Amino acid sequence: MLRGHVRYVVVSFLLQTVVIEELLEGEEVSCLAFSDSRSICMMPPAQDHKRLLDANLGPNTGGMGAYCPCSLVSDAELKRIARDVMQKTVDGMRSEGAPYVGVLYAGLMLTADGAKVLEFNCRFGDPETQVILPLLKNDLYMTLRACVAQKLPSALPVWDHTLSAVGVVVVVNGYPGSYKKGIPITDLPATASNTCIFHAGTSLVDGCLVTSGGRVLAVVTTSTSLSSASKTANWMAGEVKFQGAFFRRDISAKALQRSATGSKMSYKSCGVDIGAGDALVEGIKPLSLATARAGCVGSIGGFAGLFDLAAAGYSDALLVSGTDGVGTKLKVAQDCGIHTSVGIDLVAMCVNDVLASAAEPLFFLDYFACGALDGSVTLEVISGVTRGCQLAGCALLGGETAEMPGMYRAGEYDLAGFAVGAVERRQNFPQIADISEGDVVIGVASSGLHSNGFSMVRTIVEMSHLSYSDASPFGTSCTLGDDLLTPTKIYSKSLLPVLRSGRVRAYAHITGGGLLGNIPRILPQGFAVLLNASLWQIPPVFAWLQHIGEVGEEEMLKTFNLGVGVVLISSALHADSVFAHLAQQGEAAWRIGTVVLQQGDAGSVVQVANLGESLRKSLQLCDVASLNGGPRAKSQQRPRTKVGVLISGTGTNLQALIDHTQAPSNNSAAAISLVISNVESAPGLDRAKKAGISTLVISHKGFKSRLEFDVAVDRALRAAGVELVCLAGFMRILTGDFVRKWHGHLINVHPSLLPSFKGMNAHQLALDAGVRLTGCSVHFVEEEVDAGAIIVQEAVPILHGDDVEKLSERVKTAEHVAFPRALELVASRRAVLHDDGKIHWSNS
């Protein structure tokens, strides 16, 4: 009934979509795999030709031929199909008590959105099998036997990747409709080592070979080139002689055309969008300009960046370079959907290194690599890079964005950075030779984990049964993900003056290798340091990681910075003035140890006393429930999102939100902290007061303009710490300025199934249109009326005899269901609006 009238129809439930019908466009391919119920092994992809006539015309058939391998399926795409289609299917069948052993056939369509499954078959495909198996180099029986024994990895098939195979099916006249049988086959071509004839609709009658089906036989040939295989197969099909014999002459022709002319090939079709990359560069330019400093020449976009040392104030400079990445902290950022902070990390890891030579960071280059370019994510990252450059005082002089399909999964990216600094030749830093017994070891505070040890951090988080969206166990008001992603501190501006003052002898950046691995890099041979962990403050994150992961003290010392981001060595004479400078710069610092003579050749270079006691003391600041290593109630798992509700009238939707958020059984992620009305007599204010919620009346009549009114509302919301705003019958049109300020944190309910019947009088419009179904939509608010991304919809049928009043009451009941559901999704960050106006959904 739906076909021909709609492109697709979907029924949406909470975080689930059931597709009733969808029109897919693209090339069809066949992907087969062996399965032993646990493991799968893909065969080379093939493409069959279903239509009877050349150019894919005529009726559908059982298959007029095929070729293999199909170049439309790249190695990367085949791996994705293996992982996301075949393996998940086999795993799902096993989990449901139906383990599948044998050959699994998937018919797929290659669409612009990737491969889509059209059908599954529990068998070899025909005619695909005829062109796949000739490429098999080893014994098929051994592989099938291994499948039955559930030992497929022990007998994997070996394919000849140097060959192509083409099969052409010869059919009888009339097929696929009615046709004659028993037609004598008078001649067959001779076969060779690279050719084969597969009989299908043939029989022996009185010693004569005759037709007995519509698809009579298939001729298959292999060759080192697809073109040669195709020519030979077509020639052989022409040598099959019986009355009414017919075959297609264009099997594999499209593949050959693609290979010869590239007419259907583009860089974009291969996954690299140069236009998107160019647009990204234009978006980065203003960010880069914000980092400009003395010495910059030109702007980004050229082949190379230029920098004038003389203009930067250097006369006899040494250049100092550093390069680094962010490591697997990126995985946490990608899982959390927070991308700005890692850009700061990238700059910090590089510029903090060049400080070891008392070099002023002058300029920075970044490298961003991904599988498919997401402009909004990339801009978030680069905005973090520019913020890091501003904190360091260096210019973002250029960079590289590499889009590499097949190298990274969807949503994954990698970063690398390169910083160049300068120091005058006469500066003479570090002064490692001057370090002597009794010198003071100064620890400068880190901001937390910085960017090291995250492979261990992620493992421990998994052990804890917490998710990144849960409340941080470190005694902060943030989520666990937010705390772990705290950016690495950048020390350039605060430490450079004291490093060049002659009062500091050496500087160590505490990165990978921790205290044990980095301090020895600045000590002269024969010297060591004695540190006392009770002399500095170890942040709770380190104590929590050590406790949950049961990590040994030595492992902690050589993995993490333990609260010390930089170590300085100063003489006892100058130590106090160094501390005075650090305090003036706002840097927390401690006298954490002393330089001593190393005891013997085998003596430890870094010895740390009282670490266990200090970690236990820090652990007391952590959330007790999280230390048990088990999941907590949802109400304890994350700080509740503070919600402000704007009303003008009775507040029935407000009441639905209050009932939901205050019901203990719901463990809601939201807490309504303020209700604002522009009407002093609004009954909804009494509902809020009865629920113990703060209320505020801001009458629009007391302001000269809408903008002034909106500014007052904005200030009140922010003063109350509101993070999310709900419009519940708020009868004022908000200015674009207000909407932009709260973008992604402002939701509204509209009484229709958007995008139908926007604006006022939605019920009357629905009745006038004669539709049989309406409802409500909760959506993010954009500047255009009722145009934001839809979070939840609730359908309401229009009944015979409905008028506006009757329909309005039933839709309002639906609103009381939909609005709390949408609020929960947004407050729990399961529905997050991205800068491109689309919602990112998460099940965590």
Side-chain angles (χ1 to χ4, degrees):
M1 181 176 70
L2 298 173
R3 190 176 303 276
H5 297 282
V6 294
R7 181 174 178 81
Y8 58 83
V9 177
V10 298
V11 181
S12 294
F13 301 96
L14 185 61
L15 296 181
Q16 293 184 343
T17 299
V18 179
V19 179
I20 297 177
E21 178 174 316
E22 183 175 5
L23 173 64
L24 299 176
E25 296 177 336
E27 294 276 359
E28 290 187 44
V29 296
S30 303
C31 291
L32 288 73
F34 294 105
S35 168
D36 67 358
S37 82
R38 292 186 178 276
S39 303
I40 60 121
C41 181
M42 299 298 295
M43 303 181 203
Q47 186 174 43
D48 70 342
H49 296 62
K50 294 292 188 187
R51 297 285 184 173
L52 178 69
L53 305 176
D54 287 354
N56 285 327
L57 300 176
N60 269 324
T61 70
M64 294 297 292
Y67 70 96
C68 179
C70 175
S71 59
L72 287 171
V73 183
S74 66
D75 290 343
E77 183 68 9
L78 189 63
K79 289 178 181 177
R80 193 196 70 78
I81 292 168
R83 181 187 71 238
D84 296 342
V85 177
M86 311 301 266
Q87 186 66 59
K88 287 185 177 180
T89 299
V90 169
D91 290 344
M93 294 178 71
R94 187 178 67 254
S95 68
E96 294 178 3
Y100 181 71
V101 175
V103 173
L104 183 63
Y105 166 112
L108 302 136
M109 179 168 283
L110 302 180
T111 74
D113 296 322
K116 304 288 186 180
V117 177
L118 301 178
E119 62 173 338
F120 280 116
N121 285 297
C122 300
R123 56 172 173 79
F124 271 115
D126 172 32
E128 295 90 344
T129 307
Q130 291 94 311
V131 293
I132 292 174
L133 289 186
L135 306 183
L136 184 65
K137 296 174 69 174
N138 61 336
D139 192 340
L140 174 64
Y141 171 74
M142 298 304 294
T143 298
L144 296 178
R145 183 176 177 181
C147 288
V148 173
Q150 294 190 332
K151 294 180 179 179
L152 177 57
S154 68
L156 294 174
V158 179
W159 304 100
D160 191 335
H161 297 290
T162 67
L163 295 179
S164 293
V166 176
V168 177
V169 175
V170 182
V171 301
V172 70
N173 185 38
Y175 175 82
S178 59
Y179 51 83
K180 290 176 59 177
K181 297 182 180 180
I183 302 172
I185 301 173
T186 58
D187 199 7
L188 290 176
T191 59
S193 60
N194 67 327
T195 60
C196 187
I197 298 177
F198 292 91
H199 289 251
T202 65
S203 298
L204 280 173
V205 177
D206 297 329
C208 294
L209 188 66
V210 299
T211 65
S212 60
R215 297 169 70 235
V216 179
L217 48 79
V219 293
V220 176
T221 184
T222 61
S223 176
T224 54
S225 77
L226 182 63
S227 175
S228 175
S230 178
K231 290 177 180 177
T232 303
N234 281 325
W235 175 82
M236 290 183 65
E239 293 300 301
V240 176
K241 305 296 184 182
F242 61 85
Q243 186 180 0
F246 173 81
F247 63 93
R248 280 184 61 165
R249 289 169 170 77
D250 67 342
I251 305 300
S252 79
K254 290 175 69 175
L256 289 169
Q257 183 182 20
R258 282 191 296 268
S259 176
T261 68
S263 60
K264 293 190 178 293
M265 183 72 70
S266 69
Y267 210 9
K268 185 173 182 178
S269 71
C270 295
V272 180
D273 191 340
I274 294 176
D278 291 342
L280 178 65
V281 171
E282 292 304 310
I284 293 172
K285 281 184 177 179
L287 298 176
S288 173
L289 288 173
T291 69
R293 53 154 293 157
C296 288
V297 179
S299 62
I300 66 170
F303 290 102
L306 301 176
F307 193 89
D308 186 342
L309 278 174
Y314 289 90
S315 57
D316 185 24
L318 295 174
L319 293 181
V320 182
S321 63
T323 186
D324 211 334
V326 183
T328 57
K329 189 174 186 178
L330 291 177
K331 293 289 289 181
V332 180
Q334 291 157 14
D335 288 345
C336 294
I338 300 172
H339 308 287
T340 305
S341 58
V342 291
I344 300 175
D345 287 314
L346 185 65
V347 177
M349 296 302 289
C350 297
V351 299
N352 287 346
D353 277 353
V354 302
L355 270 180
S357 298
E360 175 193 12
L362 299 177
F363 59 85
F364 188 83
L365 305 172
D366 71 272
Y367 174 81
F368 180 97
C370 61
L373 194 61
D374 183 328
S376 62
V377 170
T378 310
L379 277 176
E380 275 192 65
V381 174
I382 303 304
S383 69
V385 171
T386 58
R387 178 57 182 153
C389 288
Q390 290 170 331
L391 292 171
C394 63
L396 178 59
L397 205 58
E400 168 70 6
T401 301
E403 191 174 20
M404 298 184 288
M407 288 289 289
Y408 300 91
R409 294 181 183 180
E412 290 184 349
Y413 58 83
D414 198 6
L415 296 175
F418 183 83
V420 172
V423 60
E424 293 289 1
R425 192 184 305 272
R426 64 179 182 275
Q427 188 65 55
N428 189 29
F429 186 87
Q431 302 165 5
I432 292 176
D434 293 339
I435 293 175
S436 60
E437 186 178 9
D439 280 354
V440 177
V441 181
I442 299 171
V444 184
S446 69
S447 58
L449 289 165
H450 285 186
S451 301
N452 297 106
F454 271 83
S455 294
M456 181 183 290
V457 170
R458 289 165 46 240
T459 301
I460 293 173
V461 170
E462 290 180 6
M463 293 169 57
S464 75
H465 302 292
L466 296 180
S467 67
Y468 295 127
S469 60
D470 290 338
S472 170
F474 314 138
T476 69
S477 60
C478 301
T479 64
L480 174 60
D482 288 334
D483 270 352
L484 295 178
L485 290 173
T486 300
T488 305
K489 182 175 281 191
I490 293 175
Y491 299 98
S492 304
K493 293 182 179 180
S494 61
L495 295 192
L496 189 60
V498 77
L499 297 181
R500 292 181 169 183
S501 70
R503 292 172 287 170
V504 175
R505 288 175 170 167
Y507 160 112
H509 183 201
I510 309 303
T511 58
L515 292 165
L516 294 188
N518 288 287
I519 295 177
R521 298 166 70 178
I522 61 170
L523 293 176
Q525 190 171 0
F527 287 87
V529 295
L530 292 179
L531 307 182
N532 185 345
S534 66
L535 298 178
W536 79 84
Q537 184 178 338
I538 299 179
V541 59
F542 298 105
W544 183 84
L545 290 167
Q546 195 256 354
H547 176 83
I548 298 296
E550 299 181 350
V551 184
E553 290 183 15
E554 183 176 354
E555 196 66 27
M556 292 293 292
L557 285 166
K558 66 183 184 182
T559 305
F560 301 113
N561 65 60
L562 296 179
V564 178
V566 164
V567 164
L568 306 177
I569 295 182
S570 174
S571 67
L573 178 65
H574 292 129
D576 287 343
S577 65
V578 173
F579 278 113
H581 170 84
L582 294 173
Q584 188 179 19
Q585 295 294 319
E587 296 286 2
W590 311 273
R591 190 184 300 253
I592 65 173
T594 307
V595 175
V596 298
L597 293 174
Q598 187 176 4
Q599 300 299 312
D601 294 339
S604 175
V605 177
V606 180
Q607 299 179 41
V608 183
N610 300 315
L611 178 59
E613 179 184 343
S614 298
L615 284 167
R616 286 189 291 273
K617 183 178 179 181
S618 179
L619 190 64
Q620 295 174 8
L621 301 175
C622 294
D623 177 70
V624 175
S626 74
L627 301 180
N628 297 325
R632 299 170 292 167
K634 279 289 178 186
S635 60
Q636 297 174 308
Q637 284 187 344
R638 56 171 64 87
R640 299 179 74 185
T641 299
K642 291 185 177 181
V643 177
V645 184
L646 306 187
I647 65 169
S648 296
T650 59
T652 56
N653 271 322
L654 168 64
Q655 189 64 56
L657 297 178
I658 292 172
D659 293 344
H660 174 81
T661 57
Q662 294 192 348
S665 59
N666 288 336
N667 291 321
S668 177
I672 301 174
S673 58
L674 179 64
V675 173
I676 298 177
S677 176
N678 65 316
V679 179
E680 187 173 4
S681 60
L685 293 171
D686 292 330
R687 296 177 185 268
K689 291 173 183 176
K690 289 179 182 179
I693 298 170
S694 298
T695 62
L696 186 63
V697 176
I698 304 178
S699 174
H700 58 279
K701 297 179 180 179
F703 297 89
K704 295 180 180 179
S705 66
R706 285 195 299 133
L707 180 60
E708 289 182 5
F709 171 72
D710 285 1
V711 168
V713 174
D714 175 67
R715 287 174 179 168
L717 291 168
R718 296 189 186 280
V722 168
E723 302 165 89
L724 174 63
V725 180
C726 296
L727 305 180
F730 186 61
M731 306 305 293
R732 297 289 299 170
I733 297 176
L734 296 167
T735 60
D737 185 69
F738 185 94
V739 172
R740 287 190 294 272
K741 285 181 180 178
W742 289 92
H743 187 257
H745 303 273
L746 180 63
I747 63 176
N748 179 47
V749 62
H750 181 76
S752 77
L753 293 178
L754 293 174
S756 298
F757 313 126
K758 295 180 179 180
M760 303 292 288
N761 305 315
H763 300 312
Q764 187 64 59
L765 291 171
L767 292 169
D768 291 346
V771 298
R772 308 315 306 159
L773 194 69
T774 186
C776 64
S777 305
V778 187
H779 61 94
F780 284 103
V781 177
E782 299 283 356
E783 292 185 62
E784 182 184 344
V785 175
D786 300 326
I790 296 169
I791 308 163
V792 168
Q793 289 184 310
E794 190 77 15
V796 174
I798 296 178
L799 306 178
H800 179 70
D802 265 346
D803 56 23
V804 169
E805 183 178 356
K806 293 176 183 178
L807 183 58
S808 175
E809 285 304 310
R810 292 208 312 283
V811 171
K812 190 163 287 293
T813 300
E815 290 178 5
H816 298 165
V817 175
F819 212 164
R821 281 169 51 199
L823 172 63
E824 197 65 36
L825 288 169
V826 178
S828 63
R829 292 184 62 83
R830 284 179 285 165
V832 178
L833 185 67
H834 281 195
D835 289 341
D836 61 1
K838 296 180 181 179
I839 297 176
H840 171 74
W841 297 99
S842 169
N843 290 319
S844 62

